[in-house]
Amino acid sequence: MNQFKISEINVNLWNKRNVSFVPHSDVNIIVGINGSGKTTLLNEIEKIARLRLENEESCIYIPSVDNLQARDKRQKATPLSQALDAYIYDMKSGPSLMYYRMSMLDASLSQQSRVRERIHNFCSLINSLFSDTGKHIEVEGNKFLIYSDGILLPTDSLSSGEKQILLTLLRVFLLDERDSVILIDEPENSLDISWQYKLVDILVKLNPNAQYFITTHSPSIFSDGWGNNIIYMEDVTTPTDKSL
């Protein structure tokens, strides 16, 4: 399968601004002041990706935690908690961690081994991030377990930052390393500074075949070796020529 990449961005925002640039094939970190159109640009890039990708599931959009919508407004759980529960437990249609694990049932022995190894590595990755707070996760059968000093905890006991990074990384993990376009809006919200530094490296490790478009206000997101992958909105934006 040919690897899918967006090779050119040329879009108009609000009939006022043209945004044009050649994106990197791996990571694009979009930076700009409030109101510069970063989130609107992500929405336009999503449209481009969905038109070109054969499999729509290979394009995911991870909104800012502030813009998550409740899946069920009747529930008291926050939109973040509802989203996390869905991507862990949804067995009806997926994608979810449990749905992915159950895919082993009809798989070959080699594929079963691969799924087990990926889940094990994912848990190890999350546990390395959660180690400072004494928490760790395990997947046993059809159960997703969270422990703190040997005590079993409900998912909702995680902090907002822990929920957010778990949700973000889980969604990327569930792409199963397929050629993908991944759009993430302001992932730094609620995240510890140390996690911000590591985030891009972790994302690329989870899916090295993806093309990432990430908006941010935080220098910590791109300070660890990703400075050459920054797209400044002011450098790629020009006013629309209304005379045309």
Side-chain angles (χ1 to χ4, degrees), residues 7-232:
S7 60
E8 182 181 11
I9 301 294
N10 188 4
V11 299
N12 183 270
L13 308 183
W14 315 301
N15 294 319
K16 294 181 179 180
R17 305 174 191 172
N18 295 319
V19 178
S20 300
F21 63 95
V22 175
H24 301 279
S25 62
D26 51 1
V27 176
N28 299 272
I29 301 172
I30 302 170
V31 176
I33 62 172
N34 287 331
S36 60
K38 299 186 299 299
T39 300
T40 305
L41 175 59
L42 276 193
N43 293 333
E44 292 300 319
I45 296 173
E46 181 185 21
K47 293 176 185 176
I48 294 170
R50 293 197 183 281
L51 283 173
R52 297 183 185 180
L53 280 169
E54 293 183 4
N55 182 356
E56 272 205 11
E57 293 180 355
S58 293
C59 175
I60 63 170
Y61 186 110
I62 304 175
S64 166
V65 66
D66 298 329
N67 292 325
L68 279 172
Q69 301 296 314
R71 290 172 171 255
D72 186 346
K73 294 182 178 179
R74 297 169 297 179
Q75 294 185 19
K76 293 182 179 180
T78 66
L80 178 57
S81 293
Q82 289 185 35
L84 181 57
D85 282 345
Y87 283 102
I88 293 174
Y89 298 113
D90 181 8
M91 292 293 292
K92 293 182 179 179
S93 58
S96 73
L97 182 58
M98 292 301 121
Y99 188 87
Y100 178 69
R101 189 189 176 284
M102 290 297 288
S103 69
M104 292 192 300
L105 293 180
D106 299 320
S108 64
L109 291 177
S110 62
Q111 179 62 11
Q112 289 179 30
S113 177
R114 178 178 180 273
V115 170
R116 287 194 189 95
E117 182 178 6
R118 291 194 75 238
I119 291 175
H120 171 77
N121 291 340
F122 179 75
C123 289
S124 296
L125 172 61
I126 297 301
N127 290 337
S128 71
L129 295 173
F130 284 6
S131 61
D132 287 343
T133 60
K135 298 186 183 76
H136 74 276
I137 66 171
E138 297 179 8
V139 175
E140 296 181 2
N142 61 352
K143 296 180 180 180
F144 179 84
L145 306 171
I146 303 170
Y147 290 97
S148 177
D149 297 323
I151 299 173
L152 185 62
L153 301 176
T155 307
D156 203 45
S157 67
L158 296 174
S159 70
S160 59
E162 289 169 333
K163 291 176 187 176
Q164 183 184 342
I165 199 164
L166 178 55
L167 174 62
T168 299
L169 300 184
L170 181 55
R171 292 201 62 187
V172 175
F173 167 82
L174 290 172
L175 287 167
D176 204 16
E177 300 184 19
R178 295 195 305 270
D179 293 342
S180 310
V181 174
I182 299 173
L183 307 109
I184 309 177
D185 193 19
E186 298 185 358
E188 68 271 15
N189 293 345
S190 298
L191 292 193
D192 181 90
I193 288 292
S194 65
W195 292 354
Q196 293 181 34
Y197 278 112
K198 300 173 184 177
L199 182 61
V200 176
D201 284 337
I202 292 173
L203 292 170
V204 172
K205 182 178 181 180
L206 278 175
N207 191 340
N209 299 315
Q211 185 178 30
Y212 293 88
F213 294 87
I214 304 168
T215 70
T216 185
H217 289 286
S218 174
S220 299
I221 294 292
F222 53 81
S223 61
D224 193 19
W226 294 100
N228 292 331
N229 293 64
I230 301 174
I231 308 295
Y232 292 100

